[in-house]
Amino acid sequence: SIEDKYSLKENKNKSWFYSYSFIILMRCFMTIFYPVFYFSYYILKRKPQEPGSFEDKLNTSLVKRLRNIGEYNNTAPTEKTSDDQVIEIYELVCSSFRKASGERNEHIPPDNLNTIAMKFFKVYEEFGEDFMQEHLEYELKKY
């Protein structure tokens, strides 16, 4: 009860505006925002997009990042390689080298794996898939 008396004494001269400012601000915001939502949803018939899977988002960001690196360095992957092929090659190379390093009780840093994958993109675009597979087996034996 002593604390209640103290809090009442402290807040005695406070204005009602400070107590209800958040509520007033939210009502103003919703008064402005609701017509925009209504117009977009009902008149323009824009429906919310369904969320994609987490793996799809990761794959698209991976492809975008790899293509930006390739463009910056003037190397593969270029537009000759489709997005699905980029993901497939990247997963194949990285998983193969991770497996080989696991057998030797070693750890390959992610930056090195990315560099290796970029090399295999270049091999894929220049020589084709068969040669890339043979070269991957050779590199794994050499490792």
Side-chain angles (χ1 to χ4, degrees):
S1 74
I2 293 172
E3 293 175 1
D4 292 339
K5 288 179 184 178
Y6 179 75
S7 65
L8 289 173
K9 185 190 248 185
E10 285 295 314
N11 295 324
K12 185 177 181 182
N13 296 326
K14 298 275 180 167
S15 170
W16 63 271
F17 179 76
Y18 295 113
S19 303
Y20 296 103
S21 62
F22 181 72
I23 296 170
I24 293 168
L25 182 67
M26 287 305 295
R27 285 188 176 203
C28 291
F29 176 74
M30 293 309 289
T31 303
I32 294 168
F33 182 71
Y34 183 74
V36 172
F37 168 76
Y38 182 83
F39 181 76
S40 175
Y41 189 77
Y42 291 106
I43 297 176
L44 296 178
K45 305 278 190 223
R46 291 185 188 158
K47 304 295 180 194
Q49 294 179 351
E50 292 184 23
S53 70
F54 184 69
E55 186 177 352
D56 291 340
K57 290 179 184 179
L58 274 177
N59 287 343
T60 55
S61 66
L62 173 69
V63 170
K64 184 177 179 183
R65 182 173 56 96
L66 290 173
R67 288 196 190 278
N68 286 341
I69 292 170
E71 183 180 333
Y72 180 77
N73 293 324
N74 239 1
T75 185
T78 60
E79 298 303 321
K80 295 178 187 175
T81 311
S82 71
D83 292 351
D84 294 334
Q85 289 172 329
V86 169
I87 294 166
E88 183 181 329
I89 293 169
Y90 186 81
E91 288 177 351
L92 174 70
V93 170
C94 291
S95 63
S96 300
F97 273 93
R98 277 193 198 116
K99 183 179 175 187
S101 67
E103 291 171 357
R104 298 180 66 182
N105 293 327
E106 295 178 352
H107 174 72
I108 301 176
D111 291 341
N112 295 358
L113 281 175
N114 289 340
T115 305
I116 294 168
M118 295 300 282
K119 174 186 172 187
F120 279 95
F121 289 131
K122 181 81 168 162
V123 170
Y124 176 80
E125 286 190 3
E126 284 187 15
F127 302 108
E129 186 173 356
D130 295 333
F131 183 78
M132 186 200 70
Q133 291 287 347
E134 293 172 12
H135 189 65
L136 178 62
E137 290 172 11
Y138 169 75
E139 289 290 336
L140 288 172
K141 286 178 187 175
K142 191 171 121 179
Y143 173 70

